[in-house]
Amino acid sequence: MTHPQDQHPPQDARTLPARDHDASEALLERVRQAAATGTALRLVGSGSKGFYGRPVAGETLSLAEHTGIVNYDPVELVVTVRAGTRLAELQAALAQEGQQLAFEPPHFGEDATVGGTVACGLSGPRRPWAGSVRDFVLGTRMITHDGKRLHFGGEVMKNVAGYDLSRLMVGAQGTLGIIDEVSFKVLPRPAASATLRLEMGLGDAMARLAEWGRKPMPITGAAHDGETLHLRLEGGASSVANTQAQLGGEPDDTAFWTQLRELELTFFSRRHDDRPLWRLSLPHRAPPLALDGDTLVDWAGAQRWLRSELPAATIRQHAAQAGGHATLVDRDRAHGVDTPFTPLSVVMDKYHRQLKAKLDPRGIFNPGRLYEGL
C-alpha cells in the first residue's frame, strides 16, 4: 500500500525536504534502549503545558528539534506537521493562505508545539461551534514502545484506516506513545468578525444563549465574566452585520478571546486570586452550580472556570451531579489531591490499564502523567 506522503503532492501542495535520517534514527534508538532497560521517558516539547497533569519522573526526551511542515495542501485543506514544530509557526503558514486551525488551540507560551497541543487535547473558545482538537486530527504517525514508526489514519477524511487510534492520542498526554507527525484538517478564516459585550447577569445570559442556539446565528464565542456576556460573531460580512444589529450590545476588544484562550484575563491571575483554579466541563444548559467561589463561564456554559477553596471531592461531586467533571488546573495547589483529573471508575480504570499495557507494555512513556500507574 502506498502511503499518502510517498505520493507526488498536487501542484499547490508544499513539502519539506526529507527528514534528517540520522537524527530520526537516534530518536528511535533512544526509545528502543529505554524499552530494553525499562527506563521511563519524560516526553517534552517546549514544556508550555507542563502544569497540566501529574509530574513525571524519568529521563527527558525532547522533541523540540523534530520540526517542520511536512506537507501542506491549501486546496485540500490538509496539513501534515512534525510534533516539535512551533504552533505559532504552523498558524502563520496557514494564515498566509487565509486558513486556520478552527479549534483555536491555546499556546500557554510562545514556543508551544504541535505535539503538546495534540497530547493535551485542549481547545479554545470556538470549540462548541467548530469542534475539538480530536475532530480535526485526520491521522498521526507515532513512535511505539519498541522504537518503530506506525501510521494511523491519513491525510483525507475518507481514509479511515486507524482513524480512531489517531484520535486516541489526543489528550493521552504522551502516555500511549510518541506523537511523531500529525495531519490536520484546516478551514478557511472567516470573512468577517465582530466582538460584542452585553451587560446582563449569568442567568439571563444562559437563557439568551439557549434561545440563540436554536437560530442560525454565526456565534463562535460566548463567555460570561460575572457581569458581562461577551460574544463573538464570525462568518460572511452580511451575516455578521445583520446579527450584530439584531443583538445590539457594545463593540468589544477582540483581544478578549486571546486572553481567555491563554488564561491571561485578570480572573486567571494568581496575583489577583490565589485560590485553586478548576476547569469544569458540563452540559452547556446545566444551571449554575451551588459552589462557593468565583466563576467565569466559557463555551456558552459548557466550560466553567472556578476559583474556590472547597475540597476537591465537593467540587467533583457537584460537577458529576450536573453531568460533567472537574479538573484541577493548578497542579502545585493540589492540597493532597492524587490527580488533577477526575478519578476513574473501576470499569474505566480497567480499560485504561488494558490500553496502556497493549501500547506501552514496559510503561516507559510519561508514566503517571494522567493517573498513578498509567
Side-chain angles (χ1 to χ4, degrees), residues 126-345:
R126 196 181 289 114
R127 186 255 185 268
W129 298 273
S132 67
V133 185
R134 184 173 287 108
D135 298 317
F136 287 86
V137 171
L138 297 178
T140 58
R141 188 190 295 270
M142 64 176 284
I143 298 175
T144 64
H145 67 94
D146 50 359
K148 297 179 180 178
R149 278 195 172 88
L150 294 181
H151 182 270
F152 301 97
E155 292 184 312
V156 291
M157 291 297 290
K158 63 183 178 182
N159 186 345
V160 296
Y163 195 53
D164 288 341
L165 191 53
S166 285
R167 292 183 165 197
L168 196 62
M169 300 297 288
V170 179
Q173 297 219 31
T175 59
L176 302 179
I178 298 175
I179 298 173
D180 182 31
E181 294 177 2
V182 184
S183 293
F184 292 108
K185 175 178 68 174
V186 299
L187 292 180
R189 296 169 68 90
S193 176
T195 296
L196 307 175
R197 55 183 295 130
L198 295 87
E199 305 298 329
M200 64 178 69
L202 178 58
D204 289 341
M206 296 295 287
R208 295 279 189 92
L209 289 170
E211 176 188 349
W212 296 335
R214 295 188 290 268
K215 301 178 180 180
M217 291 184 170
I219 296 175
T220 63
H224 194 277
D225 62 11
E227 298 179 349
T228 303
L229 174 62
H230 302 263
L231 288 177
R232 180 174 59 191
L233 309 175
E234 292 180 323
S238 61
S239 176
V240 169
N242 292 338
T243 304
Q244 184 173 2
Q246 179 180 348
L247 298 181
E250 298 293 329
D252 200 2
D253 188 352
T254 58
F256 172 84
W257 303 107
T258 300
Q259 294 169 348
L260 174 60
R261 183 192 72 207
E262 301 298 331
L263 307 188
E264 293 176 347
L265 296 172
T266 301
F267 176 90
F268 299 109
S269 171
R270 288 185 50 175
R271 292 183 179 181
H272 172 74
D273 191 334
D274 196 39
R275 290 174 296 178
L277 177 65
W278 289 84
R279 174 178 174 260
L280 278 58
S281 297
L282 303 169
H284 69 279
R285 294 187 180 180
L289 303 188
L291 293 169
D292 291 336
D294 293 324
T295 302
L296 188 154
V297 175
D298 191 11
W299 293 1
Q303 177 169 258
R304 306 182 194 185
W305 299 95
L306 173 68
R307 285 284 191 188
S308 177
E309 293 280 8
L310 287 172
T314 300
I315 295 174
R316 285 174 170 158
Q317 179 182 9
H318 279 75
Q321 289 174 344
H325 61 271
T327 300
L328 180 61
V329 178
D330 289 332
R331 186 177 69 190
D332 59 341
R333 300 294 310 282
H335 298 302
V337 177
D338 176 63
T339 174
F341 306 105
T342 298
L344 298 172
S345 67

